Amino acid sequence: MALTARANDPGKIPRWYWPIALGAVIAVALLYWSALQCLGPWATLGEKSLGSIIGLKLDIYQQGDSDIPEDMQFMMFEAREAGFRRGLKYT
């Protein structure tokens, strides 16, 4: 963004540039966030989640869960060591 803000005349950046640039960054961030929200296990179409329809399975495990699979035990240990309470597994 800093390179695109360079003006032909030094010190003469158009006053409309920064509001449009900031609006574009916010719009792209919202699109990215909404795409990630659509892939979560809570976004469902009937019985299936949107992520499972396109072939992505997302499992979120909390620290005290009793149904954590064996292959996630070490990852959850590492997450606790790093100060996190959740672990994420996607396939």
Side-chain angles (χ1 to χ4, degrees):
M1 275 183 32
L3 292 177
T4 62
R6 291 186 314 176
N8 294 336
D9 300 326
K12 300 288 184 182
I13 299 172
R15 68 182 322 162
W16 49 264
Y17 177 80
W18 289 112
I20 290 175
L22 183 62
V25 167
I26 291 173
V28 169
L30 286 173
L31 285 173
Y32 180 72
W33 177 81
S34 61
L36 289 179
Q37 290 297 313
C38 287
L39 293 177
W42 46 86
T44 59
L45 288 174
E47 296 291 320
K48 291 186 167 187
S49 69
L50 293 175
S52 66
I53 292 172
I54 63 169
L56 176 72
K57 185 176 180 213
L58 182 66
D59 295 318
I60 301 170
Y61 299 104
Q62 297 285 340
Q63 186 173 357
D65 287 347
S66 60
D67 61 342
I68 297 174
E70 196 63 37
D71 62 337
M72 280 293 293
Q73 294 292 335
F74 184 68
M75 287 186 248
M76 289 300 290
F77 172 74
E78 287 180 327
R80 276 193 306 273
E81 291 291 313
F84 299 106
R85 295 178 311 156
R86 288 181 281 187
L88 178 69
K89 179 181 181 181
Y90 61 94
T91 54

Coordinates of all heavy atoms in Angstrom, one line a residue:
M1 N 0.8 -1.2 0.0 CA 0.0 0.0 0.0 C 0.9 1.2 0.0 O 0.5 2.2 -0.6 CB -0.9 0.0 1.2 CG -2.2 -0.8 1.0 SD -3.4 -0.8 2.3 CE -3.2 0.8 3.1
A2 N 2.0 1.2 0.7 CA 2.8 2.4 0.7 C 3.4 2.7 -0.6 O 3.5 3.9 -1.0 CB 4.0 2.1 1.7
L3 N 3.7 1.6 -1.4 CA 4.2 1.9 -2.8 C 3.1 2.5 -3.7 O 3.4 3.3 -4.5 CB 4.8 0.6 -3.4 CG 6.0 0.1 -2.7 CD1 6.4 -1.2 -3.4 CD2 7.1 1.1 -2.8
T4 N 1.9 2.1 -3.5 CA 0.8 2.6 -4.4 C 0.4 4.0 -4.0 O -0.2 4.7 -4.7 CB -0.4 1.7 -4.4 OG1 -0.9 1.6 -3.0 CG2 -0.1 0.3 -4.9
A5 N 0.8 4.4 -2.7 CA 0.4 5.8 -2.3 C 1.4 6.8 -2.8 O 1.2 8.0 -2.5 CB 0.4 5.8 -0.7
R6 N 2.5 6.4 -3.4 CA 3.4 7.4 -3.9 C 2.8 8.2 -5.0 O 2.2 7.7 -5.9 CB 4.7 6.7 -4.5 CG 5.5 6.0 -3.4 CD 6.8 5.5 -4.0 NE 6.5 4.8 -5.3 CZ 7.4 4.3 -6.1 NH1 8.6 4.4 -5.8 NH2 7.0 3.6 -7.2
A7 N 2.9 9.5 -4.9 CA 2.3 10.4 -5.9 C 3.4 10.8 -6.9 O 4.6 10.7 -6.6 CB 1.8 11.6 -5.2
N8 N 2.9 11.2 -8.0 CA 3.9 11.7 -9.0 C 4.5 13.0 -8.5 O 5.7 13.3 -8.8 CB 3.1 12.0 -10.3 CG 2.7 10.7 -11.0 OD1 3.2 9.7 -10.7 ND2 1.6 10.8 -11.8
D9 N 3.8 13.8 -7.8 CA 4.3 15.0 -7.2 C 4.6 14.7 -5.7 O 3.7 14.3 -5.0 CB 3.3 16.2 -7.3 CG 3.0 16.5 -8.7 OD1 3.9 16.4 -9.6 OD2 1.9 16.9 -9.0
P10 N 5.8 14.9 -5.2 CA 6.1 14.6 -3.8 C 5.2 15.4 -2.9 O 5.0 16.6 -3.0 CB 7.6 15.0 -3.7 CG 8.1 15.0 -5.0 CD 7.0 15.3 -6.0
G11 N 4.6 14.7 -1.9 CA 3.8 15.3 -0.9 C 2.4 15.6 -1.4 O 1.6 16.2 -0.7
K12 N 1.9 15.0 -2.5 CA 0.6 15.3 -3.0 C -0.2 14.0 -3.2 O -0.7 13.7 -4.3 CB 0.8 16.0 -4.4 CG 1.5 17.3 -4.4 CD 0.6 18.3 -3.7 CE 1.3 19.7 -3.8 NZ 0.6 20.7 -3.1
I13 N -0.3 13.2 -2.2 CA -1.2 12.0 -2.2 C -2.6 12.5 -2.2 O -3.0 13.3 -1.4 CB -1.0 11.1 -1.0 CG1 0.5 10.6 -1.0 CG2 -1.9 9.9 -1.0 CD1 0.9 9.9 0.3
P14 N -3.4 12.0 -3.2 CA -4.9 12.4 -3.2 C -5.6 12.1 -1.9 O -5.3 11.1 -1.3 CB -5.5 11.6 -4.3 CG -4.3 11.1 -5.1 CD -3.1 11.0 -4.2
R15 N -6.4 13.0 -1.4 CA -7.1 12.9 -0.1 C -8.0 11.7 -0.1 O -8.4 11.2 1.0 CB -7.7 14.2 0.3 CG -8.9 14.6 -0.5 CD -9.5 15.9 -0.1 NE -9.5 16.0 1.3 CZ -9.6 17.2 1.9 NH1 -9.8 18.3 1.2 NH2 -9.6 17.3 3.2
W16 N -8.5 11.2 -1.2 CA -9.4 10.1 -1.2 C -8.7 8.7 -1.2 O -9.3 7.7 -1.0 CB -10.3 10.1 -2.5 CG -9.5 10.3 -3.7 CD1 -9.3 11.5 -4.4 CD2 -8.8 9.3 -4.5 NE1 -8.5 11.3 -5.5 CE2 -8.2 10.0 -5.6 CE3 -8.6 8.0 -4.4 CZ2 -7.4 9.3 -6.5 CZ3 -7.9 7.3 -5.3 CH2 -7.3 8.0 -6.4
Y17 N -7.4 8.7 -1.3 CA -6.6 7.4 -1.4 C -6.8 6.6 -0.1 O -7.1 5.4 -0.2 CB -5.2 7.7 -1.7 CG -4.4 6.4 -1.7 CD1 -4.4 5.6 -2.8 CD2 -3.7 6.0 -0.6 CE1 -3.7 4.4 -2.9 CE2 -3.0 4.8 -0.6 CZ -3.0 4.0 -1.7 OH -2.3 2.8 -1.8
W18 N -6.5 7.2 1.0 CA -6.4 6.4 2.3 C -7.8 5.8 2.7 O -7.9 4.7 3.1 CB -5.8 7.1 3.4 CG -4.3 7.3 3.2 CD1 -3.6 8.4 2.9 CD2 -3.3 6.2 3.1 NE1 -2.3 8.1 2.6 CE2 -2.1 6.8 2.8 CE3 -3.4 4.8 3.3 CZ2 -0.9 6.0 2.7 CZ3 -2.3 4.1 3.2 CH2 -1.0 4.7 2.9
P19 N -8.9 6.6 2.6 CA -10.2 5.9 2.9 C -10.5 4.8 2.0 O -11.0 3.8 2.5 CB -11.2 7.1 2.7 CG -10.4 8.3 2.9 CD -9.0 8.0 2.4
I20 N -10.2 4.9 0.7 CA -10.5 3.8 -0.2 C -9.6 2.6 0.1 O -10.0 1.5 0.1 CB -10.4 4.3 -1.7 CG1 -11.5 5.2 -2.0 CG2 -10.4 3.1 -2.6 CD1 -11.4 5.9 -3.4
A21 N -8.3 2.9 0.3 CA -7.4 1.8 0.6 C -7.8 1.1 1.9 O -7.8 -0.2 2.0 CB -6.0 2.3 0.7
L22 N -8.1 1.8 3.0 CA -8.5 1.2 4.2 C -9.8 0.4 4.0 O -10.0 -0.7 4.6 CB -8.7 2.3 5.3 CG -9.0 1.8 6.7 CD1 -7.9 0.8 7.2 CD2 -9.2 2.9 7.6
G23 N -10.8 1.0 3.3 CA -12.0 0.3 3.0 C -11.8 -1.0 2.3 O -12.5 -2.1 2.6
A24 N -10.9 -1.0 1.3 CA -10.6 -2.3 0.6 C -10.0 -3.3 1.5 O -10.3 -4.5 1.4 CB -9.7 -1.9 -0.6
V25 N -9.1 -2.9 2.4 CA -8.4 -3.9 3.3 C -9.5 -4.5 4.2 O -9.5 -5.7 4.5 CB -7.3 -3.2 4.1 CG1 -6.9 -4.0 5.3 CG2 -6.1 -2.9 3.2
I26 N -10.4 -3.7 4.7 CA -11.4 -4.1 5.6 C -12.4 -5.1 4.9 O -12.8 -6.1 5.4 CB -12.2 -3.0 6.3 CG1 -11.2 -2.3 7.3 CG2 -13.4 -3.4 7.0 CD1 -11.8 -1.0 7.9
A27 N -12.7 -4.7 3.6 CA -13.6 -5.6 2.9 C -13.0 -6.9 2.6 O -13.7 -8.0 2.7 CB -14.0 -4.9 1.5
V28 N -11.7 -7.0 2.2 CA -11.1 -8.3 2.0 C -11.0 -9.1 3.3 O -11.2 -10.3 3.2 CB -9.7 -8.0 1.3 CG1 -8.9 -9.3 1.3 CG2 -9.9 -7.5 -0.1
A29 N -10.7 -8.4 4.4 CA -10.6 -9.1 5.7 C -12.0 -9.7 6.0 O -12.0 -10.8 6.5 CB -10.1 -8.2 6.7
L30 N -13.1 -9.0 5.8 CA -14.4 -9.5 6.1 C -14.7 -10.7 5.2 O -15.4 -11.7 5.6 CB -15.4 -8.4 6.0 CG -15.5 -7.4 7.1 CD1 -16.4 -6.3 6.8 CD2 -15.8 -8.1 8.4
L31 N -14.4 -10.6 3.9 CA -14.6 -11.8 3.0 C -13.8 -13.0 3.5 O -14.3 -14.1 3.5 CB -14.2 -11.4 1.6 CG -15.2 -10.5 0.8 CD1 -14.6 -10.1 -0.5 CD2 -16.5 -11.2 0.6
Y32 N -12.6 -12.8 3.9 CA -11.8 -13.9 4.4 C -12.4 -14.5 5.6 O -12.5 -15.7 5.8 CB -10.3 -13.4 4.6 CG -9.4 -14.4 5.1 CD1 -8.9 -15.4 4.3 CD2 -9.0 -14.4 6.4 CE1 -8.0 -16.4 4.7 CE2 -8.1 -15.4 6.9 CZ -7.6 -16.4 6.0 OH -6.7 -17.3 6.5
W33 N -12.8 -13.7 6.6 CA -13.4 -14.1 7.8 C -14.7 -14.9 7.5 O -14.9 -16.0 8.1 CB -13.6 -13.0 8.7 CG -14.3 -13.3 10.0 CD1 -13.7 -13.8 11.1 CD2 -15.7 -13.2 10.2 NE1 -14.7 -14.1 12.1 CE2 -15.9 -13.7 11.6 CE3 -16.8 -12.8 9.5 CZ2 -17.2 -13.7 12.1 CZ3 -18.1 -12.8 10.1 CH2 -18.2 -13.3 11.4
S34 N -15.5 -14.4 6.6 CA -16.8 -15.1 6.4 C -16.5 -16.4 5.7 O -17.3 -17.4 5.9 CB -17.7 -14.2 5.5 OG -17.1 -13.9 4.3
A35 N -15.5 -16.5 4.8 CA -15.2 -17.8 4.2 C -14.7 -18.8 5.2 O -15.1 -20.0 5.2 CB -14.1 -17.6 3.1
L36 N -13.9 -18.4 6.2 CA -13.5 -19.3 7.3 C -14.7 -19.7 8.1 O -14.8 -20.9 8.6 CB -12.4 -18.7 8.1 CG -11.1 -18.5 7.4 CD1 -10.1 -17.9 8.4 CD2 -10.5 -19.9 7.0
Q37 N -15.6 -18.8 8.4 CA -16.8 -19.1 9.2 C -17.7 -20.2 8.5 O -18.3 -21.0 9.1 CB -17.6 -17.9 9.5 CG -16.9 -16.9 10.5 CD -16.7 -17.6 11.8 OE1 -17.6 -18.2 12.4 NE2 -15.5 -17.4 12.3
C38 N -17.8 -20.1 7.2 CA -18.6 -21.0 6.4 C -18.0 -22.4 6.4 O -18.7 -23.4 6.2 CB -18.7 -20.6 5.0 SG -19.8 -19.1 4.8
L39 N -16.7 -22.6 6.7 CA -16.1 -23.9 6.7 C -16.1 -24.6 8.0 O -15.8 -25.7 8.1 CB -14.6 -23.8 6.2 CG -14.4 -23.4 4.8 CD1 -12.9 -23.2 4.5 CD2 -15.1 -24.4 3.8
G40 N -16.5 -23.9 9.0 CA -16.6 -24.4 10.4 C -17.7 -25.5 10.5 O -18.6 -25.6 9.7
P41 N -17.6 -26.3 11.6 CA -18.6 -27.4 11.8 C -20.0 -26.8 12.2 O -20.9 -27.6 12.1 CB -18.0 -28.2 12.9 CG -17.1 -27.3 13.6 CD -16.6 -26.3 12.6
W42 N -20.1 -25.6 12.6 CA -21.4 -25.0 13.0 C -22.2 -24.5 11.8 O -23.4 -24.3 11.9 CB -21.1 -23.8 13.9 CG -20.1 -22.9 13.4 CD1 -20.2 -21.9 12.5 CD2 -18.7 -23.0 13.7 NE1 -19.0 -21.3 12.2 CE2 -18.0 -22.0 12.9 CE3 -17.9 -23.8 14.5 CZ2 -16.7 -21.8 13.0 CZ3 -16.6 -23.6 14.5 CH2 -15.9 -22.6 13.8
A43 N -21.6 -24.4 10.6 CA -22.3 -24.0 9.4 C -22.8 -25.2 8.6 O -22.0 -25.9 8.0 CB -21.3 -23.1 8.5
T44 N -24.1 -25.5 8.8 CA -24.6 -26.8 8.2 C -25.6 -26.5 7.1 O -26.3 -25.5 7.1 CB -25.2 -27.6 9.3 OG1 -26.3 -26.8 9.9 CG2 -24.2 -28.0 10.4
L45 N -25.7 -27.5 6.3 CA -26.8 -27.5 5.3 C -27.5 -28.9 5.5 O -27.0 -29.9 5.0 CB -26.2 -27.5 3.8 CG -25.7 -26.1 3.4 CD1 -25.0 -26.3 2.0 CD2 -26.8 -25.1 3.3
G46 N -28.5 -28.8 6.2 CA -29.2 -30.1 6.6 C -28.4 -30.9 7.6 O -28.1 -30.4 8.7
E47 N -28.0 -32.1 7.2 CA -27.2 -32.9 8.1 C -25.7 -32.7 7.9 O -24.9 -33.1 8.8 CB -27.5 -34.4 7.8 CG -29.0 -34.7 8.1 CD -29.3 -34.7 9.6 OE1 -28.4 -35.2 10.4 OE2 -30.3 -34.3 10.0
K48 N -25.2 -32.1 6.8 CA -23.8 -32.0 6.6 C -23.4 -30.6 6.8 O -24.1 -29.6 6.5 CB -23.5 -32.4 5.1 CG -23.7 -33.9 4.9 CD -23.2 -34.2 3.5 CE -23.1 -35.6 3.2 NZ -22.5 -35.9 1.9
S49 N -22.1 -30.4 7.2 CA -21.5 -29.1 7.3 C -21.0 -28.7 5.9 O -20.7 -29.6 5.1 CB -20.4 -29.1 8.3 OG -19.3 -29.8 7.9
L50 N -20.8 -27.4 5.7 CA -20.3 -27.0 4.4 C -18.9 -27.5 4.1 O -18.5 -27.8 3.0 CB -20.3 -25.5 4.3 CG -21.7 -24.8 4.3 CD1 -21.6 -23.3 4.4 CD2 -22.4 -25.2 3.1
G51 N -18.1 -27.6 5.2 CA -16.7 -28.1 5.1 C -16.7 -29.5 4.6 O -15.8 -29.9 3.8
S52 N -17.6 -30.3 5.1 CA -17.6 -31.7 4.8 C -18.0 -31.9 3.3 O -17.6 -32.9 2.7 CB -18.4 -32.6 5.7 OG -19.8 -32.2 5.6
I53 N -18.8 -31.0 2.8 CA -19.3 -31.1 1.4 C -18.1 -30.9 0.5 O -18.0 -31.6 -0.5 CB -20.4 -30.1 1.2 CG1 -21.7 -30.5 1.9 CG2 -20.7 -30.0 -0.3 CD1 -22.8 -29.5 1.9
I54 N -17.2 -30.0 0.8 CA -16.1 -29.7 -0.1 C -14.9 -30.6 0.3 O -13.8 -30.5 -0.3 CB -15.7 -28.3 -0.1 CG1 -15.2 -27.8 1.3 CG2 -16.8 -27.4 -0.6 CD1 -14.6 -26.4 1.2
G55 N -15.0 -31.4 1.3 CA -13.9 -32.4 1.6 C -13.0 -31.9 2.8 O -11.9 -32.4 2.9
L56 N -13.5 -31.0 3.6 CA -12.7 -30.5 4.7 C -13.4 -30.8 6.0 O -14.6 -30.4 6.2 CB -12.5 -29.0 4.6 CG -11.7 -28.3 5.7 CD1 -10.2 -28.7 5.7 CD2 -11.9 -26.8 5.7
K57 N -12.7 -31.5 6.9 CA -13.3 -31.8 8.2 C -12.5 -31.1 9.2 O -11.3 -31.2 9.3 CB -13.3 -33.3 8.4 CG -14.0 -33.7 9.7 CD -14.0 -35.2 9.9 CE -14.8 -35.5 11.2 NZ -14.3 -36.6 11.9
L58 N -13.2 -30.4 10.1 CA -12.6 -29.5 11.1 C -13.1 -30.0 12.5 O -14.3 -30.0 12.7 CB -13.0 -28.1 10.8 CG -12.4 -27.0 11.8 CD1 -10.9 -26.9 11.6 CD2 -13.1 -25.7 11.4
D59 N -12.2 -30.4 13.3 CA -12.6 -30.8 14.7 C -11.8 -29.9 15.7 O -10.6 -29.7 15.6 CB -12.2 -32.3 15.0 CG -12.9 -33.2 14.1 OD1 -14.1 -33.1 13.9 OD2 -12.3 -34.2 13.6
I60 N -12.6 -29.4 16.6 CA -12.0 -28.5 17.6 C -12.2 -29.2 19.0 O -13.3 -29.6 19.4 CB -12.8 -27.1 17.7 CG1 -12.6 -26.5 16.3 CG2 -12.2 -26.2 18.8 CD1 -13.5 -25.2 16.1
Y61 N -11.1 -29.4 19.7 CA -11.0 -30.1 21.0 C -10.7 -29.1 22.1 O -9.8 -28.3 21.9 CB -10.0 -31.2 20.9 CG -10.3 -32.3 19.9 CD1 -9.6 -32.4 18.8 CD2 -11.4 -33.2 20.1 CE1 -9.9 -33.4 17.8 CE2 -11.6 -34.2 19.2 CZ -10.9 -34.2 18.0 OH -11.2 -35.2 17.1
Q62 N -11.5 -29.2 23.2 CA -11.2 -28.3 24.3 C -10.3 -29.1 25.3 O -10.1 -30.3 25.2 CB -12.5 -28.0 25.0 CG -13.4 -27.1 24.2 CD -13.0 -25.7 24.1 OE1 -12.2 -25.2 24.9 NE2 -13.5 -25.0 23.1
Q63 N -9.7 -28.4 26.2 CA -8.7 -29.0 27.1 C -9.3 -30.1 27.9 O -8.7 -31.2 28.1 CB -8.1 -27.9 28.0 CG -7.0 -28.4 28.9 CD -6.4 -27.3 29.6 OE1 -6.8 -26.1 29.5 NE2 -5.4 -27.6 30.5
G64 N -10.5 -30.0 28.4 CA -11.1 -31.1 29.3 C -11.9 -32.1 28.6 O -12.6 -32.9 29.3
D65 N -11.9 -32.1 27.3 CA -12.8 -33.1 26.6 C -12.3 -34.5 26.8 O -11.1 -34.8 26.9 CB -12.7 -32.8 25.1 CG -13.5 -31.6 24.7 OD1 -14.3 -31.1 25.5 OD2 -13.4 -31.2 23.5
S66 N -13.3 -35.5 26.9 CA -12.9 -36.9 27.2 C -12.8 -37.7 25.9 O -12.3 -38.8 25.9 CB -14.0 -37.5 28.1 OG -15.2 -37.4 27.4
D67 N -13.3 -37.1 24.8 CA -13.2 -37.9 23.5 C -12.1 -37.4 22.6 O -12.3 -37.6 21.4 CB -14.6 -37.7 22.8 CG -14.9 -36.3 22.5 OD1 -14.3 -35.4 23.1 OD2 -15.8 -36.1 21.6
I68 N -11.0 -37.0 23.1 CA -9.8 -36.6 22.3 C -9.2 -37.9 21.8 O -8.8 -38.7 22.5 CB -8.9 -35.8 23.1 CG1 -9.5 -34.5 23.6 CG2 -7.6 -35.4 22.3 CD1 -8.7 -33.6 24.5
P69 N -9.0 -38.0 20.5 CA -8.4 -39.2 19.9 C -6.9 -39.3 20.3 O -6.3 -38.3 20.7 CB -8.6 -39.0 18.4 CG -9.1 -37.7 18.1 CD -9.5 -37.1 19.4
E70 N -6.4 -40.5 20.2 CA -5.0 -40.8 20.6 C -4.0 -39.9 19.8 O -3.0 -39.5 20.4 CB -4.7 -42.3 20.4 CG -3.5 -42.8 21.1 CD -3.6 -42.6 22.6 OE1 -4.7 -42.8 23.2 OE2 -2.6 -42.3 23.3
D71 N -4.3 -39.7 18.5 CA -3.3 -39.0 17.7 C -3.3 -37.5 18.0 O -2.4 -36.7 17.6 CB -3.5 -39.2 16.2 CG -4.9 -38.7 15.8 OD1 -5.8 -38.6 16.6 OD2 -5.1 -38.4 14.6
M72 N -4.3 -37.0 18.8 CA -4.3 -35.6 19.2 C -3.8 -35.3 20.6 O -3.7 -34.2 21.0 CB -5.8 -35.1 19.1 CG -6.3 -34.7 17.8 SD -5.5 -33.3 17.0 CE -6.0 -32.0 18.1
Q73 N -3.5 -36.4 21.3 CA -3.1 -36.2 22.7 C -1.8 -35.4 22.8 O -1.7 -34.5 23.6 CB -2.9 -37.6 23.4 CG -4.1 -38.4 23.6 CD -5.1 -37.8 24.6 OE1 -4.6 -37.0 25.5 NE2 -6.3 -38.1 24.5
F74 N -0.8 -35.7 22.0 CA 0.4 -34.9 22.1 C 0.3 -33.5 21.6 O 0.8 -32.6 22.2 CB 1.5 -35.6 21.2 CG 2.9 -34.9 21.3 CD1 3.6 -35.0 22.5 CD2 3.4 -34.3 20.2 CE1 4.8 -34.3 22.6 CE2 4.6 -33.6 20.3 CZ 5.3 -33.6 21.5
M75 N -0.6 -33.3 20.6 CA -0.8 -31.9 20.1 C -1.5 -31.1 21.2 O -1.3 -29.9 21.3 CB -1.7 -32.0 18.8 CG -0.9 -32.4 17.6 SD -1.8 -32.2 16.1 CE -2.0 -34.0 15.7
M76 N -2.5 -31.7 21.9 CA -3.1 -31.0 23.0 C -2.1 -30.7 24.1 O -2.2 -29.7 24.8 CB -4.3 -31.9 23.5 CG -5.5 -31.9 22.6 SD -6.2 -30.3 22.2 CE -6.9 -29.9 23.7
F77 N -1.2 -31.6 24.4 CA -0.2 -31.4 25.4 C 0.7 -30.2 25.0 O 0.9 -29.3 25.8 CB 0.7 -32.6 25.6 CG 1.9 -32.4 26.4 CD1 1.8 -32.2 27.8 CD2 3.2 -32.2 25.8 CE1 2.9 -32.0 28.6 CE2 4.3 -32.0 26.6 CZ 4.2 -31.9 28.0
E78 N 1.1 -30.1 23.7 CA 1.8 -29.0 23.2 C 1.0 -27.7 23.3 O 1.6 -26.6 23.6 CB 2.3 -29.2 21.8 CG 3.4 -30.2 21.6 CD 3.8 -30.4 20.2 OE1 2.9 -30.3 19.3 OE2 5.0 -30.7 20.0
A79 N -0.3 -27.8 23.0 CA -1.1 -26.6 23.1 C -1.2 -26.1 24.5 O -1.1 -24.9 24.8 CB -2.5 -26.9 22.5
R80 N -1.3 -27.0 25.5 CA -1.3 -26.6 26.9 C 0.0 -25.9 27.3 O 0.0 -25.0 28.0 CB -1.6 -27.8 27.8 CG -3.1 -28.1 27.9 CD -3.3 -29.1 29.1 NE -2.6 -30.3 29.0 CZ -2.9 -31.4 28.3 NH1 -4.1 -31.4 27.6 NH2 -2.2 -32.5 28.3
E81 N 1.1 -26.5 26.8 CA 2.4 -25.9 27.1 C 2.5 -24.5 26.6 O 3.2 -23.7 27.1 CB 3.5 -26.8 26.6 CG 3.7 -28.2 27.3 CD 4.2 -28.0 28.7 OE1 5.1 -27.2 28.9 OE2 3.6 -28.6 29.6
A82 N 1.9 -24.3 25.4 CA 2.0 -23.0 24.8 C 1.0 -22.0 25.4 O 1.0 -20.8 25.0 CB 1.8 -23.1 23.3
G83 N 0.1 -22.5 26.2 CA -0.9 -21.6 26.9 C -2.2 -21.6 26.2 O -3.1 -20.8 26.6
F84 N -2.5 -22.5 25.3 CA -3.8 -22.6 24.7 C -4.7 -23.7 25.3 O -4.1 -24.7 25.8 CB -3.6 -22.9 23.2 CG -2.9 -21.8 22.5 CD1 -1.5 -22.0 22.1 CD2 -3.4 -20.6 22.2 CE1 -0.8 -21.1 21.4 CE2 -2.7 -19.6 21.5 CZ -1.4 -19.9 21.2
R85 N -6.0 -23.5 25.2 CA -6.9 -24.5 25.8 C -7.6 -25.4 24.7 O -8.3 -26.3 25.0 CB -8.0 -23.8 26.6 CG -7.5 -23.1 27.8 CD -8.6 -22.4 28.5 NE -9.3 -21.6 27.6 CZ -10.6 -21.3 27.7 NH1 -11.2 -21.6 28.8 NH2 -11.2 -20.6 26.8
R86 N -7.4 -25.0 23.4 CA -8.0 -25.7 22.4 C -7.0 -26.3 21.4 O -5.9 -25.8 21.2 CB -9.0 -24.8 21.6 CG -10.2 -24.4 22.4 CD -11.0 -23.5 21.6 NE -10.4 -22.2 21.6 CZ -11.0 -21.1 21.1 NH1 -12.1 -21.2 20.5 NH2 -10.4 -19.9 21.2
G87 N -7.4 -27.3 20.7 CA -6.6 -27.9 19.6 C -7.5 -28.1 18.4 O -8.7 -28.3 18.5
L88 N -6.9 -28.0 17.3 CA -7.6 -28.0 16.0 C -7.1 -29.1 15.1 O -5.9 -29.2 15.0 CB -7.5 -26.6 15.3 CG -8.1 -26.5 14.0 CD1 -9.6 -26.5 14.1 CD2 -7.7 -25.2 13.3
K89 N -7.9 -29.9 14.6 CA -7.5 -30.9 13.7 C -8.4 -30.8 12.4 O -9.6 -30.8 12.5 CB -7.7 -32.3 14.3 CG -7.4 -33.5 13.4 CD -7.6 -34.8 14.1 CE -7.2 -35.9 13.2 NZ -7.5 -37.2 13.8
Y90 N -7.7 -30.7 11.3 CA -8.5 -30.7 10.0 C -7.9 -31.8 9.1 O -6.7 -32.1 9.1 CB -8.5 -29.3 9.4 CG -7.1 -28.8 9.0 CD1 -6.6 -29.0 7.7 CD2 -6.3 -28.1 9.9 CE1 -5.3 -28.6 7.4 CE2 -5.1 -27.7 9.6 CZ -4.6 -27.9 8.3 OH -3.3 -27.4 8.0
T91 N -8.9 -32.4 8.4 CA -8.5 -33.4 7.4 C -9.2 -33.2 6.1 O -10.2 -32.5 6.0 CB -8.8 -34.8 8.0 OG1 -10.2 -34.9 8.4 CG2 -8.0 -35.2 9.1

